[in-house]
């Protein structure tokens, strides 16, 4: 090849480094030069020679990136431009025997595939990047040789398992066009799914998410990434689902879960992605019909999720458009009863609540979609009266049951709408109150609506005493309704009256006959007497006739009959519980509430029906919160119920006990200690094991009483009933956080419960304890001391766990790292101002050294040594001396080499600063490697050696940290740049002048290296 052509290649590479040069012209010029050559071999070799200068640079320098882009353009410039389908059909037969791959393109691919196993991570990274660029620059209908396809495929499958994340990212992106979604055993898709499940680097998972093809096989994996630990991955997963997945491809459960988790995500960016991308994409699929979108969700069973969805949609909609779509309202601003459905009534409610929340701005629009209070009250009354009440036989018919459940759901939404009404006007408010009271008193009202009706009734009555009086009257009407009872007719009395009436009639007839005879005999004095007797007999006859008439038409009497059936009792207890819940905590228990307690609540605790008993326990627990005396009287009863009844009722009693202890403290038990002696039926061994130092309460409660309670709660933590176990753990967490309990042993039990594989499926328990550990340990130094005190018991329990125990599967290293992170002094929200206090980690270090000295040959010595190196020790001189003494004793006792090395390192760290400077000074004279920073960031083994504290990479420890590890974040930002992956946070684009100035300062120039080689 001539010197002139050599300069052309060299000059092309030199110009390609500069971003302002027109790469298209460079490509055309070099392409023209290449086509004129007969022997292409020298050109190939020289081209690759200059390409190697760029391939040895790992850092994302602009000059190198420009060269890579130029090489990809030049290599693909030899391919024919994309053709239409008609042209492809015409030339299909002609091109059957022709080679599609250009010699230069084949040469570049061969060179890259031969280099992909290079020892330099920079070369491997550039190989994968170039292959990705080459395949991405080809036309959509481009074809390559089958053999080349297989070679690229195999090489990239190897590189996606590379130890450097950036290499894995480029390899994953390079395989995008090698996917075959219709193939059930496609190696690329299998590799993608494996990466999504197992790759520890978030940017690699993001890269795979951005390019994986959607199919029934890959969809579950993408859905799982919406629960990824990194918010950037979750955000991209929702974006991929919005752009690539039709709403019909998801099941109802998947749709509900996506919206529910997305709108409640802890990250604002993820919530924004769901609101601005996923929901609009779904709306687009249903042609903008919001009611149609609600049909795609399970509205009846997931009403809260549907409401959140609607509110998210409303936020992105103009207010004028909201009032135009008025959910089929008529001229009365009501939905006709025949047109009511679960979807449109929920939309109506959500729209009204959204406008109500806008304040004065939405008040005018709210008047357009909601009638006045009196009109709405009449509408609600008419609808609720026709909701049927099913018998047991009718409940067996699924169709009838489904219809009634739908009507009850619609009724609930209509009742919720009462909160949006304008009840300032007296007449409208009175009408709403009367409707609510009448519906609560009606026996036909479904039980599922009683609680909601009571709640809305109480919100309209501001005064507590009036509330109590109103609800008590309704309960009285429901429990003892007025009934008309007729007195049964007595047959003997009726017969007696008939006999008397017959005798009187006979006497009257005889007296009249005698009267006629006396008048005929002119015995007028006798006739006058007879006339008087006849009058008396007639009066007597009339009296008897009146009595007979009254007996023959008996008058109905209004009497009150007490009803004790489970349905009635449950309705009354529900109203009572809602009343007690709405009452102010400072409202004392008056005569009315006391009467309800004695006549309704306490008798119902012994009821045979479980639902009645449960609601009675709820009422009792809520009522005791208002009265200390009442709490003392019924604490023993609640404790007995918590141990003896059904699981659901035990949980209700347990909640009441925890609330009482939170409100009144363990002092409440001091006056009921005598009654609790019968409760202590547990074995002394178990009590001695669980109770020491468990009730160091701020008050002066008797120790045995508090211990009895804590022994019971400790046993509940081992319960097979997951709900009871979860409720107990949550209650203990509340008691410890508020300072009612200070127990290292109980904290240890909670840590072991959190890690126990048995609780893996108990999401609520895991979440509750995960949040509690962070808040508790960061709240105060005293709490950190509790954690530090529970460190060794926790580790001992795990190390001594039998093989058959679930705790044997727990990673002890992970538990230790969690406890170390929780006790870091720098993790405190308000660090202690007392400089004389000894650091918690200092205490922990002394404890660990003492534990190691007990048995220097124990297997956990290595674990303790690693823990010592992770502690955040203070600069206290006394503590340093003590630790140095202990460590020197350990060095003499411990035989394990790895442990000895760690102990010696600790001794070196505790040395004076001058000695440390002398030890570290030789490291400053080491030569500097160009790629040293990137290699150290990428190589986990090297970074572990250089780091002062070991990284964990564990899910739970990450959850309990307070963001003290910039090294992991730096590795994610520098190492995994995520090229071709959608950015997680949009950044403001700098001006061209600022961008150029920044590039001039940092850019790498390859011309120096090229010229040195030429010389």
């Amino acid at each position: 090849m001539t010197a002139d052509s050599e300069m052309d290649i060299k000059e092309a590479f030199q110009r390609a480094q500069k971003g302002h040069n027109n790469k298209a012209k460079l490509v055309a010029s070099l392409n023209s030069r290449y086509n004129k050559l007969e022997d292409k071999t020298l050109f190939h070799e020289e081209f690759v020679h200059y390409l190697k200068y760029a391939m040895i640079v790992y850092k994302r320098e602009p000059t190198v990136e420009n060269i890579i882009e130029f090489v990809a353009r030049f290599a693909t410039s030899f391919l024919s431009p994309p053709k239409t389908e008609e042209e492809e059909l015409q030339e299909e037969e002609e091109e059957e025997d022709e080679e599609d791959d250009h010699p230069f393109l084949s040469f570049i691919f061969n060179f890259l595939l031969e280099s992909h196993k290079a020892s330099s991570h920079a070369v491997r990274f550039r190989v994968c990047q170039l292959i990705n660029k080459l395949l991405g620059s080809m036309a959509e209908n481009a074809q390559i040789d089958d053999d080349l396809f297989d070679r690229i495929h195999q090489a990239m499958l190897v590189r996606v398992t590379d130890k450097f994340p950036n290499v894995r990212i480029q390899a994953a992106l390079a395989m995008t066009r090698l996917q075959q979604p219709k193939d059930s055993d496609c190696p690329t898709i299998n590799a993608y799914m494996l990466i999504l499940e197992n790759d520890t680097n978030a940017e690699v998972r993001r890269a795979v998410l951005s390019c994986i093809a959607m199919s029934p096989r890959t969809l579950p994996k993408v859905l799982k990434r919406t629960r990824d630990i990194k918010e950037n991955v979750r955000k991209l997963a929702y974006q991929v689902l919005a752009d690539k997945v039709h709403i019909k491809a998801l099941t109802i459960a998947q749709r509900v879960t996506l919206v529910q988790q997305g709108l409640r995500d802890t990250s604002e960016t993820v919530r924004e992605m769901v609101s601005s991308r996923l929901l609009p994409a779904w709306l687009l699929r249903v042609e903008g019909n919001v009611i149609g979108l609600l049909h795609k969700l399970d509205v009846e069973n997931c009403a809260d999720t549907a409401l959140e969805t609607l509110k998210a949609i409303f936020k992105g909609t103009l207010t004028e458009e909201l009032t135009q779509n008025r959910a089929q309202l008529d001229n009365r601003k009501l939905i006709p009863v025949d047109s009511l459905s679960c979807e449109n009534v929920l939309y109506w409610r959500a729209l009204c609540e959204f406008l109500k929340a806008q304040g004065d701005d939405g008040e005018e629009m709210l008047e357009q979609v909601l009638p006045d209070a009196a009109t709405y009250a009449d509408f609600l009354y008419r609808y609720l009266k026709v909701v049927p009440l099913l018998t047991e036989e009718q409940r067996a018919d699924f169709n009838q049951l489904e219809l009634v459940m739908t009507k009850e759901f619609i009724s609930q939404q209509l009742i919720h709408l009462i909160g949006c009404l304008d009840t300032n006007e007296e007449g409208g408010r009175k009408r709403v109150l009367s409707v609510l009271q009448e519906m609560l008193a009606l026996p036909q009202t479904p039980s599922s609506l009683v609680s909601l009706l009571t709640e809305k009734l109480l919100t309209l009555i501001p005064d507590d005493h009036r509330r109590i009086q109103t609800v008590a009257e309704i309960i009285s009407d429901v429990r003892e309704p007025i009934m008309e009872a007729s007195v049964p007719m007595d047959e003997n009395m009726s017969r007696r009256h008939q006999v008397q009436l017959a005798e009187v009639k006979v006497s009257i007839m005889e007296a009249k006959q005698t009267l006629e005879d006396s008048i005929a005999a002119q015995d007028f004095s006798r006739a006058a007497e007879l006339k008087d007797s006849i009058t008396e007999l007639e009066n007597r006859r009339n009296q008897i006739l009146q009595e007979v008439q009254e007996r023959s038409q008996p008058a109905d009497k209004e009497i009150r009959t007490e009803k004790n059936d489970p349905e009635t009792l449950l309705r009354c207890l529900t109203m009572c519980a809602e009343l007690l819940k709405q009452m102010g905590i400072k409202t004392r228990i008056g005569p009315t509430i006391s009467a309800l307690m004695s006549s309704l609540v306490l008798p119902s605790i012994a009821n045979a029906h479980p639902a009645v008993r449960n609601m009675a326990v709820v009422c009792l627990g809520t009522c005791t919160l208002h009265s200390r005396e009442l709490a003392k009287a019924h604490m023993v009863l609640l404790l007995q119920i918590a141990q003896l009844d059904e699981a659901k009722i035990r949980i209700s009693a347990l909640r009441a006990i925890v609330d009482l202890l939170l409100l009144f403290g363990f002092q409440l038990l001091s006056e009921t200690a005598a009654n609790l002696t019968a409760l202590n039926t547990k074995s002394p061994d178990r009590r001695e094991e669980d109770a020491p130092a468990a009730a160091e309460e701020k008050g002066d409660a008797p120790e045995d009483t508090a211990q009895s309670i804590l022994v019971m709660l400790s046993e509940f933590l081992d319960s097979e009933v997951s709900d009871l176990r979860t409720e107990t753990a949550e209650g203990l967490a509340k008691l410890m956080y508020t300072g009612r309990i200070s127990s290292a042993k109980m904290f240890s039990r909670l840590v072991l419960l959190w890690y126990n594989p048995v609780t893996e499926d108990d999401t609520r328990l895991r979440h509750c304890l995960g949040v509690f550990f962070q808040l508790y340990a960061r709240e105060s130094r005293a709490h950190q001391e509790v954690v530090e005190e529970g460190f060794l018991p926790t580790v001992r329990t795990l190390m001594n766990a039998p093989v058959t125990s679930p705790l044997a599967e727990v990673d002890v290293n992970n538990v230790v790292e969690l406890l170390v992170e929780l006790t870091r002094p720098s993790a405190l929200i308000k660090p202690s101002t007392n400089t004389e206090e000894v650091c918690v980690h200092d205490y922990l270090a002394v404890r660990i050294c003492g534990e190691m000295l007990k048995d220097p040959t124990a297997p956990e010595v290595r674990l303790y040594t690693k823990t010592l190196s992770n502690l955040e020790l203070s600069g206290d001189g006394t503590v340093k001396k003590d630790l140095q003494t202990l460590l020197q004793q350990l060095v003499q006792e411990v035989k394990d080499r790895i442990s000895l090395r760690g102990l010696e390192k600790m001794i070196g760290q505790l040395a004076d600063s001058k000695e440390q400077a002398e030890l570290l000074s030789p490291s400053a004279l080491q030569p500097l490697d160009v790629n040293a920073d990137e290699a150290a960031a990428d190589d986990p083994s090297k970074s572990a050696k250089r780091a002062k504290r070991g990284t964990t990479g564990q899910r739970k420890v990450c959850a309990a940290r307070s963001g003290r590890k910039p090294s992991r974040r730096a590795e994610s930002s520098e190492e995994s740049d995520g090229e071709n992956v959608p950015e997680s946070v949009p950044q403001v684009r700098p001006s061209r002048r600022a961008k150029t100035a920044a590039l001039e300062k940092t850019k790498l120039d390859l011309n120096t290296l090229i010229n040195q080689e030429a010389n």
Side-chain angles (χ1 to χ4, degrees):
M1 181 174 291
T2 63
D4 188 35
S5 62
E6 291 176 7
M7 288 299 296
D8 286 337
I9 298 177
K10 180 179 176 181
E11 185 181 357
F13 272 88
Q14 288 175 339
R15 290 184 180 179
Q17 295 180 58
K18 301 175 182 178
H20 62 270
N21 274 310
N22 191 335
K23 292 185 177 61
K25 289 184 178 179
L26 291 176
V27 168
S29 176
L30 202 59
N31 197 339
S32 175
R33 177 70 62 182
Y34 179 82
N35 291 330
K36 293 177 181 178
L37 296 175
E38 295 181 1
D39 184 7
K40 318 287 187 183
T41 308
L42 292 176
F43 185 93
H44 293 171
E45 293 176 356
E46 188 174 357
F47 191 91
V48 166
H49 171 76
Y50 289 116
L51 174 60
K52 288 178 181 178
Y53 288 107
M55 293 182 65
I56 61 174
V57 180
Y58 181 69
K59 197 173 180 181
R60 304 301 292 268
E61 293 285 351
T63 54
V64 181
E65 297 301 314
N66 288 333
I67 286 180
I68 296 297
E69 183 69 27
F70 164 71
V71 171
R73 284 196 183 188
F74 178 70
T76 54
S77 66
F78 298 103
L79 296 176
S80 56
K83 301 175 182 178
T84 61
E85 293 183 3
E86 296 178 359
E87 292 176 349
E88 285 182 0
L89 292 173
Q90 291 174 3
E91 300 180 9
E92 199 173 45
E93 297 179 358
E94 300 176 6
E95 296 182 353
E96 278 183 0
D97 300 328
E98 292 183 9
E99 269 192 30
D100 291 334
D101 298 338
H102 193 274
F104 182 79
L105 186 60
S106 300
F107 172 78
I108 287 293
F109 271 124
N110 290 332
F111 165 71
L112 294 174
L113 294 173
E114 290 169 1
S115 307
H116 86 91
K117 293 182 180 179
S119 59
S120 170
H121 60 282
V123 175
R124 298 198 303 272
F125 167 67
R126 294 300 177 183
V127 165
C128 295
Q129 185 188 24
L130 253 177
I131 292 178
N132 175 32
K133 296 276 189 184
L134 289 171
L135 294 177
S137 300
M138 292 182 180
E140 290 185 7
N141 55 358
Q143 297 180 354
I144 60 174
D145 185 62
D146 289 343
D147 181 51
L148 179 60
F149 177 92
D150 293 337
R151 289 175 61 200
I152 296 173
H153 204 179
Q154 293 302 321
M156 293 302 101
L157 286 175
V158 173
R159 291 279 67 83
V160 289
T161 61
D162 198 281
K163 68 178 181 179
F164 285 86
N166 257 348
V167 180
R168 299 200 298 273
I169 288 174
Q170 295 300 327
L173 294 173
M175 290 199 299
T176 305
R177 301 189 66 176
L178 307 182
Q179 298 178 84
Q180 296 175 338
K182 295 181 180 179
D183 184 2
S184 60
D185 195 26
C186 175
T188 302
I189 291 179
N190 291 339
Y192 278 168
M193 292 194 295
L194 194 65
I195 291 170
L196 287 178
E197 287 285 337
N198 302 313
D199 202 294
T200 56
N201 190 281
E203 294 300 330
V204 179
R205 299 196 297 273
R206 290 185 70 237
V208 173
L209 272 177
S210 66
C211 60
I212 191 171
M214 287 293 104
S215 68
R217 286 180 61 217
T218 59
L219 181 58
K221 303 296 182 184
V222 176
L223 290 173
K224 194 172 182 181
R225 286 307 100 204
T226 59
R227 300 186 297 277
D228 195 277
I229 192 172
K230 295 291 185 181
E231 66 175 77
N232 289 345
V233 181
R234 299 198 300 273
K235 177 183 175 183
L236 183 59
Y238 281 108
Q239 182 178 336
V240 168
L241 290 170
D243 296 339
K244 297 183 180 180
V245 181
H246 197 285
I247 187 172
K248 291 183 179 178
L250 302 168
T251 63
I252 292 179
Q254 288 172 339
R255 297 169 199 158
V256 172
T257 305
L258 276 176
V259 175
Q260 185 175 355
Q261 292 178 348
L263 293 177
R264 297 176 185 176
D265 197 280
T266 55
S267 169
E268 176 64 30
T269 57
V270 176
R271 297 196 297 271
E272 181 63 26
M273 175 59 68
V274 176
S275 301
S276 61
R277 292 289 293 272
L278 184 66
L279 293 179
W282 284 2
L283 266 178
L284 194 62
R285 301 290 198 281
V286 294
E287 300 177 353
N289 186 358
V290 182
I291 305 296
L293 178 60
L294 291 178
H295 277 290
K296 304 290 184 184
L297 304 174
D298 190 4
V299 171
E300 289 189 56
N301 294 324
C302 305
D304 293 338
T305 305
L307 282 173
E308 291 175 4
T309 303
L310 288 171
K311 288 176 182 176
I313 293 173
F314 293 156
K315 286 180 181 177
T317 309
L318 296 175
T319 52
E320 292 79 7
E321 296 179 7
L322 291 176
T323 53
Q324 290 174 1
N325 188 4
R326 292 173 30 170
Q328 305 172 1
L329 298 179
D330 58 15
N331 53 3
R332 298 177 302 161
K333 304 173 190 174
L334 296 169
I335 300 178
V337 175
D338 298 337
S339 303
L340 281 173
S341 67
C342 297
E343 289 77 20
N344 62 17
V345 74
L346 189 73
Y347 179 86
W348 190 21
R349 172 195 166 188
L351 179 61
C352 293
E353 289 180 351
F354 179 78
L355 294 175
K356 181 85 172 178
Q358 303 299 311
D360 296 337
D361 297 335
E363 187 175 350
E364 183 179 348
M365 288 181 286
L366 184 62
E367 293 177 357
Q368 301 177 20
V369 295
L370 199 63
D372 59 275
T375 305
Y376 186 81
D378 293 336
F379 171 75
L380 178 65
Y381 181 72
R382 286 197 303 272
Y383 186 81
L384 293 180
K385 284 197 72 174
V386 299
V387 176
L389 196 64
L390 295 181
T391 61
E392 290 297 328
E393 296 179 356
Q394 291 174 328
R395 286 183 180 276
D397 187 355
F398 181 76
N399 292 329
Q400 288 192 8
L401 182 63
E402 186 179 12
L403 181 63
V404 171
M405 288 175 66
T406 301
K407 287 184 175 294
E408 287 183 7
F409 177 82
I410 294 173
S411 302
Q412 289 174 357
Q413 307 313 311
L414 293 175
I415 295 169
H416 275 295
L417 269 169
I418 292 175
C420 299
L421 294 173
D422 182 9
T423 53
N424 294 325
E425 193 266 321
E426 185 68 19
R429 185 171 67 255
K430 284 185 176 180
R431 179 57 184 153
V432 174
L433 282 172
S434 65
V435 167
L436 292 175
Q437 292 179 35
E438 188 173 350
M439 292 312 303
L440 283 170
L442 279 178
Q444 293 85 5
T445 304
S447 302
S448 59
L449 304 178
V450 172
S451 176
L452 193 56
L453 286 167
T454 310
E455 178 190 342
K456 295 302 177 185
L457 173 68
L458 296 176
T459 54
L460 295 174
I461 305 174
D463 182 52
D464 275 345
H465 297 290
R466 191 178 161 211
R467 286 176 173 179
I468 295 170
Q469 191 65 30
T470 304
V471 174
E473 290 175 0
I474 298 172
I475 290 176
S476 176
D477 291 341
V478 173
R479 183 90 188 277
E480 299 176 355
I482 298 175
M483 302 181 68
E484 295 181 352
S486 59
V487 180
M489 186 181 296
D490 190 349
E491 294 182 0
N492 294 330
M493 184 65 72
S494 176
R495 197 175 295 112
R496 193 179 305 148
H497 283 161
Q498 289 177 359
V499 170
Q500 290 176 358
L501 185 61
E503 290 176 355
V504 170
K505 284 183 178 180
V506 170
S507 299
I508 290 175
M509 290 177 66
E510 290 176 352
K512 284 184 177 181
Q513 185 64 39
T514 306
L515 178 60
E516 290 177 358
D517 294 342
S518 298
I519 291 174
Q522 295 185 354
D523 187 358
F524 295 108
S525 59
R526 174 67 177 165
E529 293 175 358
L530 287 172
K531 191 172 182 180
D532 293 338
S533 64
I534 288 172
T535 304
E536 290 178 1
L537 287 171
E538 286 181 346
N539 291 336
R540 173 66 179 161
R541 184 188 65 180
N542 292 336
Q543 184 180 356
I544 293 173
L545 285 173
Q546 187 176 357
E547 288 181 2
V548 170
Q549 187 177 4
E550 289 177 356
R551 292 289 179 180
S552 62
Q553 297 179 355
D556 293 335
K557 293 184 179 180
E558 292 184 350
I559 60 172
R560 287 187 176 271
T561 307
E562 188 175 78
K563 297 171 68 176
N564 288 314
D565 59 289
E567 286 282 339
T568 302
L569 289 176
L570 190 59
R571 291 165 68 90
C572 295
L573 287 168
T574 303
M575 286 187 277
C576 183
E578 196 63 40
L579 169 65
L580 293 168
K581 191 191 302 182
Q582 297 286 343
M583 279 171 52
I585 193 68
K586 294 183 180 179
T587 304
R588 310 312 300 167
I589 299 298
T592 307
I593 296 292
S594 299
L596 285 174
M597 286 289 294
S598 59
S599 63
L600 176 65
V601 177
L602 291 175
S604 299
I605 286 180
N607 194 282
H609 202 275
V612 175
R613 288 204 309 277
N614 182 55
M615 192 56 68
V617 170
V618 172
C619 290
L620 177 62
T622 313
C623 191
T624 51
L625 293 174
H626 294 269
S627 169
R628 189 184 186 89
E629 298 300 322
L630 206 59
K632 293 177 194 172
H634 297 294
M635 187 66 170
V636 178
L637 176 60
L638 289 171
L639 288 168
Q640 290 174 345
I641 294 171
Q643 290 182 304
L644 302 175
D645 216 315
E646 293 184 7
K648 186 177 180 181
I649 304 171
R650 291 172 67 189
I651 290 171
S652 299
L654 179 62
R655 286 175 182 164
I657 293 168
V658 171
D659 288 342
L660 289 174
L661 293 177
L662 286 171
L663 184 62
F664 299 117
F666 280 84
Q667 301 97 324
L668 183 69
L669 303 173
S670 61
E671 299 164 20
T672 56
N675 297 328
L676 286 174
T677 53
L679 186 65
N680 300 333
T681 58
K682 311 300 169 192
S683 64
D685 296 337
R686 180 61 186 267
R687 193 173 300 114
E688 289 176 5
E689 177 188 346
D690 287 330
E696 300 169 11
E697 214 273 321
K698 291 184 178 178
D700 299 325
E703 188 178 351
D704 56 345
T705 305
Q707 288 179 358
S708 302
I709 298 283
L710 293 171
V711 168
M712 180 190 76
L713 296 177
S714 182
E715 289 182 346
F716 286 170
L717 291 178
D718 298 327
S719 173
E720 295 181 358
V721 183
S722 63
D723 291 339
L724 180 62
R725 188 172 59 220
T726 301
E727 202 64 45
T728 306
E730 186 176 337
L732 284 170
K734 291 176 180 177
L735 290 170
M736 292 187 70
Y737 184 72
T738 54
R740 296 296 186 185
I741 300 175
S742 179
S743 169
K745 182 170 281 294
M746 198 58 74
F747 184 85
S748 175
R749 288 294 307 275
L750 293 177
V751 171
L752 294 173
L753 183 67
W754 194 47
Y755 277 98
N756 198 324
V758 174
T759 63
E760 186 174 1
D761 296 330
D762 197 341
T763 309
R764 183 182 162 211
L765 172 68
R766 291 284 179 102
H767 178 71
C768 169
L769 290 180
V771 173
F772 162 69
F773 292 146
Q774 295 183 62
L775 297 178
Y776 182 74
R778 297 176 63 197
E779 181 68 23
S780 68
R781 175 188 162 82
H783 291 176
Q784 285 194 337
E785 290 176 356
V786 173
V787 179
E788 178 259 332
E789 190 180 343
F791 178 89
L792 288 178
T794 305
V795 176
R796 288 194 201 109
T797 304
L798 291 172
M799 297 301 293
N800 299 329
V803 181
T804 55
S805 171
L807 292 176
E809 304 175 17
V810 177
D811 183 6
V812 186
N813 292 297
N814 189 225
V815 181
V816 168
E817 288 164 358
L818 168 68
L819 296 176
V820 169
E821 289 295 329
L822 291 178
T823 50
R824 286 198 187 280
S826 57
L828 285 172
I829 298 174
K830 294 181 180 178
S832 176
T833 55
N834 188 358
T835 56
E836 297 180 0
E837 285 183 344
V838 181
C839 176
V840 177
H841 272 193
D842 293 346
Y843 282 129
L844 186 58
V846 174
R847 281 179 183 269
I848 291 174
C849 290
E851 186 73 12
M852 293 170 71
L853 283 171
K854 288 181 182 179
D855 187 4
T857 59
E860 57 264 27
V861 169
R862 187 177 293 183
L863 171 66
Y864 289 143
T865 305
K866 180 182 176 183
T867 306
L868 285 173
S869 65
N870 288 337
L871 295 179
E872 193 176 293
L873 301 176
S874 67
D876 186 81
T878 308
V879 176
K880 275 188 176 182
K881 289 180 181 179
D882 294 342
L883 280 176
Q884 282 179 338
T885 305
L886 291 169
L887 289 170
Q888 287 170 0
Q889 293 179 19
L890 283 170
V891 168
Q892 297 174 1
E893 298 283 343
V894 174
K895 306 299 181 185
D896 183 64
R897 290 184 179 181
I898 297 177
S899 301
L900 275 174
R901 199 178 303 137
L903 293 172
E904 291 169 355
K905 184 179 178 182
M906 277 292 298
I907 294 174
Q909 289 177 355
L910 292 173
D912 294 333
S913 57
K914 291 183 179 179
E915 296 176 0
Q916 283 187 348
E918 292 174 3
L919 290 171
L920 296 176
S921 58
S923 64
L925 303 176
Q926 298 296 326
L928 182 64
D929 188 4
V930 177
N931 293 326
D933 294 337
E934 292 81 3
D938 287 323
D939 192 342
S941 61
K942 292 180 183 177
S943 61
K945 290 179 183 177
R946 293 175 58 191
K948 189 173 182 179
R949 299 187 183 93
T951 58
T952 61
Q954 300 279 350
R955 176 177 60 83
K956 290 188 176 179
V957 175
C958 290
R961 290 190 178 173
S962 57
R964 293 192 67 260
K965 300 198 63 182
S967 59
R968 176 67 59 87
R969 189 173 301 171
E971 178 185 343
S972 176
S973 60
E974 289 183 28
E975 166 58 30
S976 304
D977 55 346
E979 183 189 358
N980 292 342
V981 182
E983 291 296 331
S984 58
V985 181
Q987 298 180 350
V988 180
R989 184 178 179 181
S991 65
R992 183 178 296 276
R993 182 175 299 174
K995 195 171 180 180
T996 305
L999 288 175
E1000 287 294 333
K1001 290 180 180 179
T1002 60
K1003 69 181 182 179
L1004 174 69
D1005 191 359
L1006 295 181
N1007 292 335
T1008 308
L1009 293 175
I1010 295 175
N1011 292 332
Q1012 285 179 0
E1013 181 69 21
N1015 294 333

